[in-house]
Amino acid sequence: MDVWEHFYDLTTQLEEKVHQTFTERNRSEMVAHVEKLLAERDALLLKLPQPENEAERALIDDVLQKDLKINQKLEFLFDGLKRELRNMKKQKSSKQRYTNPYQSVSTYDGMYVDHKK
């Protein structure tokens, strides 16, 4: 198989995987698979020769278009993960405040300190 065709196949697989629906159950598997495909693609990127004919140039154009879609989808998914992590941290802190509401109260509670002499 030609190197460019293999690169195109990896890009197509990556695009299909990224456009699948992510759930909480399969998220770690999907992320691992996407990372694996990206690593293979990165290793193959160093071995790519200059395009020799029009067919390879057409593959390059198609890969570039797919790459834009993949990057947009990955940014969208990454933003969703960041938002979810922020919500989890916020939920954790509000749960702590609910269970121990007097945690942030000053230690001078009930004590009178006279600053005048």
Side-chain angles (χ1 to χ4, degrees):
M1 184 185 304
D2 189 35
V3 178
W4 282 107
E5 290 174 3
H6 186 60
F7 187 75
Y8 179 76
D9 289 340
L10 284 174
T11 303
T12 305
Q13 289 175 13
L14 183 63
E15 183 183 33
E16 290 172 1
K17 188 56 92 172
V18 165
H19 282 45
Q20 289 178 356
T21 56
F22 281 67
T23 62
E24 289 187 27
R25 293 179 184 218
N26 71 349
R27 181 184 306 150
S28 60
E29 298 167 4
M30 298 284 275
V31 168
H33 193 70
V34 166
E35 284 179 349
K36 181 182 152 232
L37 286 173
L38 285 172
E40 287 180 32
R41 221 174 138 226
D42 189 40
L44 195 60
L45 192 62
L46 299 173
K47 299 176 185 176
L48 289 175
Q50 289 294 324
E52 297 173 358
N53 53 26
E54 285 300 316
E56 289 179 353
R57 288 185 187 94
L59 280 177
I60 292 171
D61 291 337
D62 201 20
V63 164
L64 289 174
Q65 290 175 357
K66 288 183 181 207
D67 200 36
L68 288 174
K69 293 177 185 175
I70 290 169
N71 285 337
Q72 289 173 349
K73 185 67 175 180
L74 284 176
E75 279 293 321
F76 176 74
L77 294 172
F78 185 65
D79 288 341
L81 284 174
K82 287 196 303 188
R83 186 173 41 252
E84 205 170 300
L85 283 173
R86 262 186 268 127
N87 287 340
M88 287 179 67
K89 285 182 182 180
K90 189 185 297 185
Q91 205 173 35
K92 182 180 176 185
S93 66
S94 64
K95 185 178 179 182
Q96 276 181 334
R97 277 189 294 226
Y98 181 76
T99 56
N100 190 3
Y102 300 109
Q103 179 180 3
S104 63
V105 174
S106 177
T107 57
Y108 295 115
D109 193 28
M111 208 168 83
Y112 177 74
V113 179
D114 188 13
H115 294 287
K116 294 182 181 180
K117 287 191 179 184

